[in-house]
Amino acid sequence: MTLHLDQHWQPGGKTGALVLTLTHMGTAPIAGARLCLGLTLPPAPGARITGGTVRRHLGTHLDIALDATLAPGGPHRLTLPDLLAAPSNRTHGVLAAWLELPDGAAAPITCGDLEPPAGTARHPIRDWPEGRIDTPLGLLPWPARVSVSQFAPAPVLVPAPGTDPAPFAAIAALHRRLFPEAPAPIALSCPDGRPVATRHDPGLAPEAYRLGFGDTVTLEHADDAGRRHGLIALAQIAHAARTDARFGFPMAGVIEDAPRFAWRGCHFDVARNFHGAETVARLIDILAWLRINRLHWHLTDDEAWRLPSRAFPELTGIGARRSRNAPLPPFYADGPGGQTGAYTEAEITRIVAHAGTLGITVMPEIDMPGHATALLLAVPDLRDPGETADSYRSIQNFPNNALNPALPRSYDVLGLLLAEAAALFPDAPLHIGGDEVDAASWSGSPLARDWARDRGLEGTAQMQAAFMRRVKDIVTGLGRDLGAWDEAADGGGVAPEGTILFAWRSIERTAELIAAGYDVVATPGQAYYLDMVQGAGWDAPGAAWAGIAAPETTYAFDPAAGLPEGPGRLVGVQAGIWTEHLNTRSRLNEMMFPRLAAVAEAGWTPQEARDWPRFAALARLVPQL
Ligand code: ACM
């Protein structure tokens, strides 16, 4: 049996309809089948579908009993109206499809792109010009002050006599991992190597470095991080000069450099689509090359739980397994094969240690109280038994997906999980999510209603704030700072002391949180979410709820523009790699670059030293996954 699904968007009403055309190229009729879909913009619950009847709708998984026997040939049509949003590109439809057959088998279906109404513009996909190079220096992020000249072919850099070789070996190894085929810019010994002398200068700022170019290169620094950044700068400059005719190695002059922000982050969602330890380790190498010093690891969500737990092994046993006949069905592009993936403790320990050698702190996120479907399926005694089923749905269409703030058991379980996370991630803040709790959450829970009344709490935001404050006490008790999404300031919020909030919902949110007294990392979806579409044409892939984040838009965003004086502070910036659409390395690369490097430069380079044409030219040097 060979099956194919074509799809097109039919505008009309608020968001239009998805029209699916199934072609059956086998010879025998198929009776009693169900069509299962993973789709990005599902129809509203209860929408009047034609051609079938919805049996199950969880998140992006839709299971539809077909109205009619599929006769060979076809075509067979289904219409799915009232979509979550109007599609704007070819990736906003069905990502995977299969038939569930009466004998329990699955029949795969190949899928075409979502096609637009006739006449829709399909191009351009990207906006990333060749750029311009005024100074032939292959260095990104660009340094704070550059005054270099006399560009020559790159030497091999070696530690000067009496200089500790270990930091040189570490950066030589980093370069070899990132560019296995490229000539090595650093050796520990080389007959015509250019000596690099490192010097401690306690007058320099944390992470700062100063390079002096001549017959000997001098590298001054106040701390290990400054020395590492200086060596990475030298490795980058020499790598560019050895591999790209546009660049050279300076024989004279100085580079003086220090970071603009202390928090230069990259968020990575491994819940929507799993990416294994090798990919995470390579991402960390790329972050180090770009001077990004925080990995925000989004390990749990509705669709999966990737964090191992000794106290609750079923969290990964059940919560990391998406399968046709499991509590969590296949989502997104999984198809009938589903998706299973979680990290082991050993992998996490190795990744955290690897990041540590490169100056990167790994902050785990356990998303709560919302986005908790995987947790609630794996640990079922976390529900109020009296709660009305399906009494609210999250924006991603998960029913009753928030941990109940009235249940003491919620805090017991979270206390154990946070203690385990603290042991696996020493010295990192613990991020507890807090995003996208539906406004009707807990409205169907008698326990939660009583709990709120007893405490004088009104509405979901206040209930959530009380929950977050209680979890913050747990985090504080573990000796850690708290990380949370910007909603943690709502409904009374958590105390600013020891809290860092991630402003994602809008560009204005950063200023609001600073005015409310918080330390803030700016990560607005409109500029810094790397899953957002990069161009207006129908062929450009990616999510679109926050608009179009072309590379130039991402680069042009100044996180500090228009901020109030205080009482809070902007402590940094962060790129968001959300993976609903990003299930393969090639898709990750397509969406991450050059925008990850643009956020890196916003985090490091003073605003007045930033320059889009130069960045566009240099970003081609950045290694990919
Ligand atoms: C988020 O994008 N929901 C933090």
Side-chain angles (χ1 to χ4, degrees), residues 371 435-436 485 504 529 545 578:
H371 287 278
D435 57 323
E436 295 183 311
W485 297 110
W504 71 277
Y529 273 15
W545 60 262
W578 294 95

Side-chain angles (χ1 to χ4, degrees), residues 182-194:
I186 293 178
L188 298 193
S189 160
C190 171
D192 67 348
R194 174 87 43 89

Side-chain angles (χ1 to χ4, degrees), residues 133 239-248 617 620-621:
I133 298 162
H239 170 80
R242 298 273 296 279
T243 58
D244 187 324
R246 299 176 298 166
F247 301 101
R620 287 166 207 286
L621 295 168

